Amino acid sequence: MSSAALAAEPLLQTKITGRALRFIGISFLAVALAQVTCVPGFSALGRTLIGLVTAAIIIAGGQLIAKRSDSQSWWTGTVLVGTGFGVGYFFTQATSYVDWLSPLGSSYPAWVLSLILAFIAVWQGSSNKLLRWLALPFALTVSGQALWHALASTQSLTFAHITVRLSAVASVAGMLWWSSLSAYYKHLETSASNRESNAVKLLYRGAHEALFVLAALNALALPKFCGSLDVAPVWWSIEMPVLLAICWRSGNYLKHLLVMAIWSLSAVLAVFGHFELSPVMRMSVPAAGLLMALAYRFINSNRPHQQKVIGYSVYLYGSVLVSLAVPILFTGHDAMRLCLLGSTAALLTLALILRDKVLQLMGSAVAIGALALHALNWQAWNFFDVGIVVAGCYAFTLIYSRLQLRGGWSKSEFCPLSGTLAINAREALVYEVASAAFGYASLIAGSYFLFTNPYNTIAWGVEAFTLIVFGFVIDRKWHRATGLVALALASAKLTIFDLSGVGTIVRTLASFGAVGICLIAAGLFYLREFSKKSNN
């Protein structure tokens, strides 16, 4: 060994010994301070306030000393900061013995102060190369102890006449708390300079990931503290958008996959779980999924495009499947029919808004099934059902006619199917004709079943005239043709059926008069169109 190394060894031993003695001495002074505040004559509130203020002074003073340039000051300041946190934690727990706070019925101040102290430790540790390694275990221990006691509590809280178990509130608070710490460590990771060592960056990355897992575990545990696992899919579906929002800017897709896995589990339970949940509560799962799908679709992020498409597809198409399965499995026949009709309109509208060909195909398949079910259930028709179906069919007829005239509708880049168009001109024409056919059939059949003879003949005449006018307005000949067919049906029914004495003479005269007026008005529209085109 060289003489320089031999000379340096006693100096290193001296340095280590001095720092150890100083650390022990400061620790003893902290213990002495805690004992001073516990002597007789001090009230519990006074001891706690003095102790917390003293801890704050020690932490602030140590931080100032640690910022000095020499290493001796840095070491002294760091030891003081660490000691201050220890003293602070001691007196946060002492708040449980303050009589003035006893009406609260639990250690709420101690828990809240512990969480605040944990965050301050993480925040200060980010600027101190030694405390950053101690801040994480300190925050995990202090936060975990506070949240664990809250989760183990059997008390309840009442807000606006609503009683909630304290453990359930603690589960949600724990999810938000661990997620916040995870987001903060993610901020430290992304803002770390190149001068930081790989070990420090690994610490930030590991803390970021581990804390998010704790947040997910708190989210999964919420149904247990709500008193029943029946509401698990509902609670998870509510929590997942919150977790996704917290980890949204993260470039690591593992957290997104974790959120996706929990939502997928809630979707499976909402459809196949034998829980005492109403269909409305089960529909909260697809509602949350749709919200997250729209986030992937419209909110910018730094993830690769393929990952965005995966998130969009899983949440959107999964939500559609759940929203279709719930009314089929958990509602009665009439409610299921109305839900499927509403789902048809929602799917086709959403497909046009998102320019998604997959949704368009799914909406078309659901439309065929819903309209077939509607037709088979003709005995239960009423004016509302028929009116909704007719209005919806002709509304989509108008939409698809515009798309056909403009040559189709471009496809979104988020749609997993290949191609550049969500709907081309030919497909738009098919959808237009199909919508018109369904609407026309429902209109004619509904009028026949819902109106008594011979008033259904009058209804056919009025509807025929309306279809002819509609055909001229949007310049579509098949609407005019269906109007002519309806007029022919009304005329045939008048002469063959109504005239044979089905109704009274007054009703028969009214039918002939109404249909006659409709025929004359329709003829005038055709003659007006003929004159306009002849002059051109």
Side-chain angles (χ1 to χ4, degrees):
M1 184 179 293
S2 63
S3 58
L6 291 173
E9 185 175 354
L11 292 177
L12 180 60
Q13 294 174 351
T14 303
K15 179 180 179 181
I16 294 175
T17 302
R19 288 187 172 181
L21 291 173
R22 183 165 44 188
F23 174 77
I24 296 172
I26 293 175
S27 301
F28 276 29
L29 288 177
V31 174
L33 176 63
Q35 289 178 339
V36 167
T37 56
C38 295
V39 298
F42 280 103
S43 65
L45 178 61
R47 287 198 302 267
T48 303
L49 290 177
I50 292 174
L52 291 175
V53 170
T54 304
I57 293 174
I58 293 174
I59 293 172
Q63 187 74 5
L64 291 176
I65 295 174
K67 289 183 178 180
R68 299 177 64 178
S69 57
D70 60 295
S71 60
Q72 297 300 324
S73 298
W74 172 82
W75 176 259
T76 302
T78 300
V79 173
L80 281 174
V81 171
T83 304
F85 280 113
V87 173
Y89 179 69
F90 175 82
F91 284 104
T92 58
Q93 301 306 304
T95 56
S96 302
Y97 303 98
V98 177
D99 295 335
W100 180 66
L101 298 176
S102 59
L104 294 177
S106 191
S107 303
Y108 302 125
W111 299 339
V112 174
L113 289 173
S114 296
L115 296 179
I116 295 174
L117 190 67
F119 183 79
I120 294 175
V122 172
W123 174 61
Q124 283 205 330
S126 63
S127 58
N128 189 301
K129 62 184 181 181
L130 177 59
L131 288 179
R132 68 178 50 145
W133 296 98
L134 303 176
L136 179 60
F138 178 80
L140 286 172
T141 302
V142 173
S143 302
Q145 184 264 347
L147 292 172
W148 178 262
H149 284 292
L151 290 172
S153 175
T154 58
Q155 295 180 344
S156 298
L157 302 175
T158 302
F159 303 98
H161 306 291
I162 299 176
T163 301
V164 183
R165 294 175 63 177
L166 176 61
S167 55
V169 176
S171 179
V172 177
M175 179 195 71
L176 298 175
W177 174 252
W178 298 122
S179 299
S180 301
L181 286 182
S182 174
Y184 184 71
Y185 271 103
K186 177 62 181 179
H187 167 72
L188 295 179
E189 179 190 356
T190 55
S191 60
S193 63
N194 294 329
R195 292 179 297 177
E196 296 287 0
S197 64
N198 291 331
V200 172
K201 295 179 180 178
L202 184 62
L203 170 68
Y204 292 156
R205 180 65 174 273
H208 167 55
E209 303 291 351
L211 290 169
F212 190 82
V213 171
L214 286 176
L217 291 175
N218 271 260
L220 285 172
L222 178 59
K224 176 182 183 300
F225 300 111
C226 291
S228 173
L229 291 178
D230 288 352
V231 294
V234 177
W235 285 120
W236 292 344
S237 63
I238 294 174
E239 291 174 315
M240 288 312 102
V242 178
L243 277 181
L244 183 65
I246 292 174
C247 72
W248 181 253
R249 298 186 63 85
S250 174
N252 186 350
Y253 201 60
L254 290 177
K255 287 180 290 301
H256 294 260
L257 289 177
L258 179 60
V259 173
M260 190 180 298
I262 297 175
W263 180 85
S264 300
L265 177 60
S266 66
V268 172
L269 292 177
V271 175
F272 300 106
H274 298 288
F275 300 132
E276 295 298 328
L277 288 177
S278 66
V280 175
M281 296 182 69
R282 292 176 189 267
M283 290 298 287
S284 64
V285 177
L290 177 61
L291 181 64
M292 292 187 284
L294 295 179
Y296 279 98
R297 172 68 174 81
F298 293 108
I299 299 179
N300 293 327
S301 62
N302 58 351
R303 286 180 301 282
H305 177 72
Q306 188 61 31
Q307 293 181 357
K308 299 178 185 178
V309 172
I310 292 175
Y312 166 83
S313 301
V314 170
Y315 288 121
L316 182 62
Y317 306 141
S319 297
V320 170
L321 294 176
V322 174
S323 64
L324 294 175
V326 168
I328 293 174
L329 297 176
F330 301 102
T331 60
H333 189 271
D334 290 337
M336 177 183 68
R337 178 170 56 89
L338 293 176
C339 287
L340 290 180
L341 289 173
S343 300
T344 297
L347 275 177
L348 294 176
T349 303
L350 193 61
L352 293 173
I353 293 174
L354 299 179
R355 296 177 289 134
D356 193 309
K357 193 174 185 68
V358 175
L359 275 186
Q360 184 68 38
L361 296 174
M362 295 176 72
S364 302
V366 175
I368 294 173
L371 292 173
L373 185 63
H374 174 71
L376 292 174
N377 204 48
W378 60 270
Q379 293 178 331
W381 283 2
N382 54 47
F383 287 103
F384 176 78
D385 294 350
V386 175
I388 289 295
V389 172
V390 172
C393 286
Y394 278 102
F396 281 106
T397 295
L398 186 61
I399 293 172
Y400 289 125
S401 68
R402 297 305 176 194
L403 292 180
Q404 194 271 334
L405 291 175
R406 64 182 293 177
W409 190 242
S410 61
K411 182 177 70 68
S412 167
E413 60 181 0
F414 285 83
C415 179
L417 295 183
S418 59
T420 59
L421 292 177
I423 303 176
N424 57 36
R426 182 179 179 182
E427 291 171 339
L429 181 61
V430 172
Y431 283 119
E432 178 189 359
V433 174
S435 299
F438 279 123
Y440 176 74
S442 183
L443 180 66
I444 297 300
S447 301
Y448 181 79
F449 290 122
L450 296 177
F451 288 100
T452 59
N453 286 312
Y455 295 122
N456 48 20
T457 309
I458 299 175
W460 279 359
V462 174
E463 291 161 0
F465 173 71
T466 304
L467 286 173
I468 291 172
V469 174
F470 183 66
F472 278 117
V473 170
I474 68 172
D475 194 22
R476 280 294 189 267
K477 61 182 180 181
W478 43 81
H479 293 302
R480 300 195 294 268
T482 55
L484 292 175
V485 172
L487 282 176
L489 289 174
S491 302
K493 185 173 180 295
L494 271 175
T495 56
I496 298 173
F497 188 68
D498 295 350
L499 198 59
S500 64
V502 173
T504 63
I505 186 64
V506 176
R507 293 180 179 179
T508 304
L509 288 175
S511 300
F512 270 93
V515 174
I517 292 173
C518 292
L519 285 167
I520 294 171
L524 291 176
F525 264 91
Y526 270 94
L527 292 174
R528 178 170 173 250
E529 184 70 13
F530 170 76
S531 299
K532 184 169 62 175
K533 290 185 177 180
S534 298
N535 294 330
N536 292 336

